[in-house]
Amino acid sequence: MNDVLSKETDFSAKDASTEPNGTSIAKGDLQVFMREVSEDGGAFRIIRNSQMAIIVEDIQGLEREDFEGDAERAKSVSRTSGQVMGTLNYIHSDVLGSDRDDKISQNNWNKTYKYHGLGALVTEIPILGDSMQRLVDVETGKEVEDMNKEVADKTTDELVKYYREKGYPSLSAALQERAIQVGLPKDYIYGDEEGFNSIVAPSAKTSYGDAVDDTRNAIGKMAP
């Protein structure tokens, strides 16, 4: 799932249909499938937590050399993380936004989201640093559960805005914190030229926004 959502390859194409694990599916089809499955809050949480576990491991696996030079490894992790998070966050926003007039349905969704899975896949990973913990909290933990209680009168676009303000910045902060942990100098991390803000962070922001738009378009084509 992570590969299909985050790579440019069309895994439904003939020459790629056996990659990465024998699955033949286009990204848009997977996004639609995820949206349909996510009508069940527990199922959505399992999907979200499994993908966040990969993101957290990828970020924590970055070393100093991955940020240096053209930073291809760090940029790759930031791109794939942004793609997956943008997809998940749009689906979450669409489910809650479309159900905002159905209090019973929404309450049931929130209940199953809270009690199925409980973030086990993520909480088993040793978390390095406050920003990494913040990323997990925003994406899988109590903050999302609290948000679920407050969305009865919010539209999908308002929820997408919430995630742009809380979700994407938490990803950028986690990447920045990893750069600090591996010993990158302050001028690289906080400077305006040839550093984190000009090389690594834009990859996460662009891919996150692209994923939101791609997922919106794919879900918009779903049959009513």
Side-chain angles (χ1 to χ4, degrees), residues 5 15-16 19 25 64 70 79 106 126 140 158 166 173 194:
L5 292 176
D15 59 351
E19 302 292 341
I25 187 170
R64 179 173 178 141
D70 56 13
R79 280 194 299 267
Q106 189 173 87
T140 67
E158 288 172 325
K166 298 286 184 72
E194 296 301 319

Side-chain angles (χ1 to χ4, degrees), residues 59-60 62 127-132 174-184 189:
I59 295 174
Q60 294 192 160
L62 291 171
I127 303 298
L128 303 177
D130 292 340
S131 292
M132 193 72 70
L175 287 161
Q176 186 179 65
E177 183 171 67
R178 185 58 183 163
I180 294 170
Q181 290 171 348
V182 298
L184 271 297
I189 296 168

